[in-house]
Amino acid sequence: MEGNSRGLESADEVLRRRAERVVPGGMWGHMNVARLPAGYPQYFRSARGCRLIDADGRSYIDLMCAYGPIILGYGDEDVEAATAAQRRLGDVMTGPSEVQVELAELFVATVPHADWAMFAKNGTDATTSCVTIARALSGKRKILVARGSYHGAVPWCSPSLEGVTVEDRAHIVYFDYNDAASLERAADEAGNDLAAILVTAFKHDTRRDQELPDPIFARTARKICDAAGAALILDDVRAGFRIDLGGSWEPLGVRPDLSAWSKAVANGHALAIVAGVDRYRQAAARVYLTGSFWCGAVAMAAAVATIRKLSTTNAIAKMAAMGQRLRDGLTAQSQTYGFSLRQTGPAQMPQILFDGDADFALGNRFVVEAMKRGVYMHPWHNMFLSAAHTEADIDDVLEATDGAFRAMRKTA
Amino acid sequence: MEGNSRGLESADEVLRRRAERVVPGGMWGHMNVARLPAGYPQYFRSARGCRLIDADGRSYIDLMCAYGPIILGYGDEDVEAATAAQRRLGDVMTGPSEVQVELAELFVATVPHADWAMFAKNGTDATTSCVTIARALSGKRKILVARGSYHGAVPWCSPSLEGVTVEDRAHIVYFDYNDAASLERAADEAGNDLAAILVTAFKHDTRRDQELPDPIFARTARKICDAAGAALILDDVRAGFRIDLGGSWEPLGVRPDLSAWSKAVANGHALAIVAGVDRYRQAAARVYLTGSFWCGAVAMAAAVATIRKLSTTNAIAKMAAMGQRLRDGLTAQSQTYGFSLRQTGPAQMPQILFDGDADFALGNRFVVEAMKRGVYMHPWHNMFLSAAHTEADIDDVLEATDGAFRAMRKTA
């Protein structure tokens, strides 16, 4: 390894230096650790269960789960056995495989609002497809979107305006998440041109407290769509299968017309799902949606195995319980050490912010100290539990966070 | 299998009937055989080398290569050994792996205009990213696109207008491929607001004769971009690595500023590549481009193995030679049997159309007869050779096409 011949540089530093030459900025997107405090490794060598090994061989309990895709644990044996069997047959071919039908049937049987399903590769593919299908059916154009919600990384919805034209967002009307009056005002603004309301499963914006959906807000969205003949689109890309196997708004009793899924649906294999009710079936068939790898059978076999395992085990309840164990432990530690935390959102998708920490100085210090003790946390993006996190793992996490709080108090 | 208990239905028919209930229209996109004559199987069981087995166990020599992704053959041993090794370590993790740097370095070393590279999942991701990067650098908006060229399946470029708004294409200006005067008129129309010219590697529109790029047209595109400070974007998604390892316009001596790649770059594993010259490096770093699975290491290991094998073997020359062998054989057969064919484009990406066949009646008949004889061809989309097609395979194809021509003549 090049790193070994340069005594002062770590393997991670060597890789960053090499990448700086051949990748713009050295790295891009949500996994760019330039967004994180110094000390975060950029490169990883391997992963198994809930553990990551970085390029320098350091091991971490991972509370990010690849920013969501890993729901049963890295390299889950059942998922990998299913993908190995499919791989021996074929993956991307000149048409789909039987497993595509099997997955569509399983998804429709699992998710109550899904009368049909289609498959793609990115969460952005799924949200963009839902918007296009809604417009195709209604012939209307306006899409209501919550300010600050993340729906993908293309011009109509990117969090950045670099390279975006005004026309890319000409028909996006903004409201405030969980604010029914604001949603009604946006619908009034759209008037007779309302194609859809697009909402995330809960408010999981970065750098802010998370909020579960207010039932009044959710029912208002449903009511507006029903009155206007518009589509209620649930963006379940980030939360899908971590809250409820039937979709994240099932516990609320509010069902969408269309839904976008990705991340965890195939335990880390690249897959996205667009699902919907019968009313949108013909419009979905008319819109031209396609991609070179969208019928790849291996990712579909992974999704079938993932959904089967989620539905036949207590995986979701376990993730919630482990998240609660972490939350309770952190609450106790923060009180012991005199820090004030806000832990928001579903326990299995925790957001942990410090009070009075607008610049994230405390949060950054905390996660760096936790990382030194073998736990990979994020200072301002929600984290993710997987079914591979055991009580013993959470207790190891809490031992590390105890050390982190203690180190912070010493130097406070 | 359900099919066996229903004597009259084939396995393919059973799968279609099941899919009809849970997938809009039963199937979507470019692999939907509703676009093809009756008799085409929709579902495939397995694939190896250049051979496909359909859901009913029938075997075909495949001239579609999954519509392009398969360039070394299905299940290529070197690619699969590389992916198996990476898979044992990790795939999608909480950050990229060393192989991401290795792939970026290899791509930059292989493709002369590439000073940097970034990775995504769909060809559409790559074309959309190039357009956004071009706008980010220039602050200008107009993108010149050839009428009928395919650049992806999202509203700004989809071949369908279902669900598309006027604003999605507000800044797209159209010209005719290979028509330098038409390109100049489009540039005049864009005026001082020209961000980019986006061109496919050659004219490979469906249902039409293919055209290699006219050098005057290519140099005109380069000259317009140089004069305006706009980006020449080469969409090499479909042709990339089948014409020239350095990019499909290398033989022309015209280099793009940005290029979009996908399909064949990882021999069937889901990957797309955005590459560019130094001038666009900072803009590429500023635009927010990301996806849940974009740092997946297995597809990158596949790309490294694919590029190494393409560069250390005569794969591209072999594909061209096998394509020429097919073309010559078909020319001779068509003369023997009294049919007039137009075989256009690069021999390794053949488009085969019958003269006087506006409704594709002859072409449809021909491919159905070839299919009955064990060869999977397409009546109006360009086909793809892979390095796994041997002389013996091409001779088998020609035996089938001889039978197809003979059957057509008998009933003519």
Side-chain angles (χ1 to χ4, degrees):
Chain A
M1 302 293 292
E2 196 180 346
N4 296 337
S5 66
R6 304 174 64 103
L8 297 175
E9 266 188 325
S10 69
D12 197 74
E13 287 167 331
V14 172
L15 288 167
R16 288 186 198 220
R17 190 164 42 75
R18 288 168 54 192
E20 195 65 44
R21 292 195 289 264
V22 290
V23 173
M27 182 55 196
W28 68 91
H30 67 291
M31 288 184 177
N32 186 348
V33 296
R35 298 150 43 109
L36 293 173
Y40 269 70
Q42 181 66 79
Y43 294 93
F44 293 96
R45 182 185 297 165
S46 62
R48 195 62 42 178
C50 67
R51 285 185 158 70
L52 276 173
I53 311 282
D54 73 15
D56 287 285
R58 285 184 298 252
S59 175
Y60 309 92
I61 298 176
D62 181 21
L63 292 180
M64 289 309 291
C65 292
Y67 286 75
I70 305 302
I71 191 166
L72 293 170
Y74 290 104
D76 178 80
E77 282 181 18
D78 296 307
V79 174
E80 293 315 302
T83 57
Q86 181 61 52
R87 197 176 295 115
R88 282 190 291 272
L89 294 171
D91 184 9
V92 169
M93 299 188 278
T94 298
S97 306
E98 177 170 1
V99 69
Q100 179 167 298
V101 182
E102 197 183 348
L103 175 57
E105 289 175 337
L106 179 60
F107 194 84
V108 164
T110 303
V111 174
H113 69 261
D115 293 322
W116 51 263
M118 301 165 77
F119 308 107
K121 284 292 160 196
N122 299 312
T124 304
D125 299 342
T127 55
T128 302
S129 296
C130 286
V131 164
T132 310
I133 292 166
R135 285 175 171 154
L137 180 71
S138 64
K140 298 178 177 179
R141 301 174 298 177
K142 302 296 177 189
I143 310 292
L144 312 193
V145 173
R147 267 178 212 94
S149 281
Y150 182 76
H151 295 294
V154 288
W156 72 265
C157 59
S158 169
S160 161
L161 291 177
E162 287 285 351
V164 172
T165 69
V166 169
E167 288 77 8
D168 289 320
R169 304 185 180 196
H171 299 299
I172 307 294
V173 181
Y174 296 95
F175 62 88
D176 294 316
Y177 198 99
N178 266 347
D179 181 339
S182 153
L183 181 59
E184 282 170 341
R185 281 193 301 273
D188 285 347
E189 188 182 328
N192 194 34
D193 200 15
L194 181 64
I197 298 173
L198 172 61
V199 280
T200 54
F202 60 95
K203 185 175 172 175
H204 47 51
D205 310 353
T206 58
R207 298 182 174 83
R208 306 171 69 164
D209 293 333
Q210 301 191 117
E211 290 179 28
L212 296 178
D214 176 350
I216 292 172
F217 167 76
R219 287 196 291 269
T220 300
R222 183 67 272 172
K223 199 174 61 182
I224 291 170
C225 288
D226 288 341
L232 178 57
I233 305 172
L234 183 65
D235 178 350
D236 226 347
V237 169
R238 197 183 301 180
F241 288 159
R242 272 196 169 81
I243 311 286
D244 190 292
L245 205 56
S248 296
W249 278 23
E250 273 301 293
L252 280 177
V254 176
R255 288 189 178 156
D257 299 300
L258 297 167
S259 57
W261 304 64
S262 185
K263 292 230 181 242
V265 296
N267 200 47
H269 293 262
L271 192 74
I273 303 177
V274 179
V277 299
D278 265 326
R279 181 164 179 256
Y280 287 85
R281 186 188 290 262
Q282 293 309 317
R286 285 200 314 271
V287 171
Y288 191 69
L289 304 172
T290 204
S292 299
F293 312 108
W294 288 13
C295 292
V298 168
M300 293 182 185
V304 168
T306 300
I307 296 170
R308 290 224 174 103
K309 191 160 182 176
L310 287 169
S311 64
T312 56
T313 63
N314 63 344
I316 295 178
K318 185 186 172 194
M319 286 185 276
M322 293 304 101
Q324 194 59 48
R325 187 181 186 89
L326 173 64
R327 184 166 287 185
D328 293 344
L330 288 171
T331 299
Q333 290 175 351
S334 63
Q335 288 165 354
T336 299
Y337 292 104
F339 292 95
S340 180
L341 292 186
R342 300 191 310 279
Q343 300 190 75
T344 55
Q348 60 273 46
M349 295 176 67
Q351 175 82 307
I352 303 171
L353 301 176
F354 284 75
D355 276 335
D357 190 35
D359 63 355
F360 299 98
L362 289 171
N364 284 342
R365 178 77 198 284
F366 179 67
V367 296
V368 167
E369 292 292 341
M371 169 156 291
K372 288 183 192 166
R373 292 165 177 82
V375 175
Y376 193 108
M377 303 179 81
H378 202 294
W380 46 257
H381 188 293
N382 77 272
M383 293 176 267
F384 299 86
L385 278 285
S386 79
H389 289 87
T390 65
E391 290 191 359
D393 294 320
I394 299 302
D395 293 346
D396 286 348
V397 170
L398 288 169
E399 194 179 319
T401 54
D402 187 83
F405 279 125
R406 194 178 312 117
M408 289 170 73
R409 191 176 61 174
K410 271 189 188 157
T411 59
Chain B
M1 301 294 294
E2 196 179 346
N4 296 337
S5 64
R6 304 174 62 103
L8 298 174
E9 266 186 327
S10 69
D12 197 74
E13 287 167 331
V14 172
L15 288 167
R16 289 186 197 219
R17 191 164 41 76
R18 288 168 54 191
E20 196 64 44
R21 291 196 289 263
V22 290
V23 172
M27 183 54 196
W28 68 90
H30 66 292
M31 289 185 176
N32 186 348
V33 296
R35 298 148 44 107
L36 293 172
Y40 269 71
Q42 180 67 79
Y43 294 94
F44 293 95
R45 184 186 297 165
S46 62
R48 194 64 41 180
C50 67
R51 284 183 158 71
L52 276 173
I53 311 282
D54 74 14
D56 287 286
R58 286 183 298 252
S59 175
Y60 309 92
I61 298 176
D62 181 21
L63 292 180
M64 289 309 292
C65 292
Y67 286 76
I70 305 302
I71 190 164
L72 294 170
Y74 289 104
D76 177 80
E77 281 182 17
D78 296 307
V79 175
E80 293 315 303
T83 58
Q86 182 61 53
R87 197 176 295 115
R88 282 190 290 273
L89 293 171
D91 185 8
V92 169
M93 300 188 278
T94 299
S97 306
E98 177 169 0
V99 70
Q100 180 167 296
V101 181
E102 197 184 348
L103 175 57
E105 287 174 340
L106 178 60
F107 194 85
V108 164
T110 303
V111 174
H113 70 261
D115 293 323
W116 50 263
M118 301 166 77
F119 308 105
K121 285 292 160 195
N122 299 311
T124 305
D125 299 342
T127 55
T128 303
S129 296
C130 287
V131 165
T132 310
I133 292 166
R135 286 176 170 155
L137 180 72
S138 64
K140 298 177 177 180
R141 300 174 297 177
K142 302 296 178 191
I143 311 291
L144 313 192
V145 173
R147 268 178 212 94
S149 281
Y150 181 78
H151 295 293
V154 288
W156 72 265
C157 58
S158 170
S160 161
L161 291 176
E162 288 283 351
V164 172
T165 69
V166 169
E167 288 76 8
D168 289 320
R169 303 183 181 197
H171 299 299
I172 308 294
V173 181
Y174 297 94
F175 62 89
D176 294 316
Y177 198 100
N178 267 348
D179 181 340
S182 153
L183 181 60
E184 280 170 342
R185 282 193 301 275
D188 286 346
E189 188 182 329
N192 194 33
D193 200 16
L194 180 63
I197 298 173
L198 172 61
V199 280
T200 53
F202 60 95
K203 185 174 173 176
H204 47 53
D205 310 354
T206 58
R207 297 182 175 81
R208 307 171 69 163
D209 292 333
Q210 301 191 117
E211 290 179 27
L212 296 178
D214 175 350
I216 293 171
F217 167 77
R219 287 196 292 269
T220 301
R222 181 67 272 171
K223 198 174 60 181
I224 291 170
C225 287
D226 288 341
L232 178 57
I233 305 172
L234 183 64
D235 179 350
D236 225 347
V237 169
R238 197 183 300 180
F241 289 159
R242 271 195 169 82
I243 311 287
D244 189 293
L245 206 56
S248 296
W249 277 23
E250 272 302 292
L252 280 177
V254 176
R255 288 190 177 154
D257 299 299
L258 297 168
S259 57
W261 305 65
S262 186
K263 294 233 181 240
V265 296
N267 200 48
H269 293 263
L271 192 74
I273 302 178
V274 179
V277 300
D278 265 326
R279 180 165 180 256
Y280 287 85
R281 187 190 290 262
Q282 293 310 316
R286 286 201 312 272
V287 171
Y288 191 68
L289 304 171
T290 204
S292 298
F293 312 108
W294 289 13
C295 293
V298 168
M300 294 182 183
V304 167
T306 300
I307 296 171
R308 289 223 174 103
K309 191 160 182 176
L310 287 170
S311 64
T312 56
T313 63
N314 63 344
I316 295 178
K318 185 186 171 194
M319 285 185 276
M322 293 305 101
Q324 195 59 48
R325 187 180 187 87
L326 173 64
R327 184 166 287 185
D328 293 344
L330 289 171
T331 298
Q333 290 174 351
S334 64
Q335 288 166 353
T336 300
Y337 292 104
F339 292 95
S340 179
L341 292 185
R342 301 191 309 280
Q343 302 191 73
T344 55
Q348 60 273 45
M349 295 176 66
Q351 175 83 306
I352 303 170
L353 301 176
F354 283 76
D355 276 336
D357 190 35
D359 63 354
F360 299 98
L362 288 172
N364 284 342
R365 179 78 199 284
F366 180 67
V367 297
V368 166
E369 292 293 340
M371 169 157 290
K372 288 181 192 167
R373 293 164 176 81
V375 175
Y376 192 109
M377 302 178 82
H378 202 293
W380 47 257
H381 188 293
N382 76 273
M383 293 177 267
F384 299 87
L385 277 286
S386 78
H389 289 87
T390 64
E391 290 191 359
D393 294 319
I394 300 302
D395 293 346
D396 285 349
V397 170
L398 289 169
E399 193 180 319
T401 55
D402 187 85
F405 279 124
R406 194 179 311 119
M408 288 170 73
R409 193 179 57 174
K410 272 190 190 158
T411 59

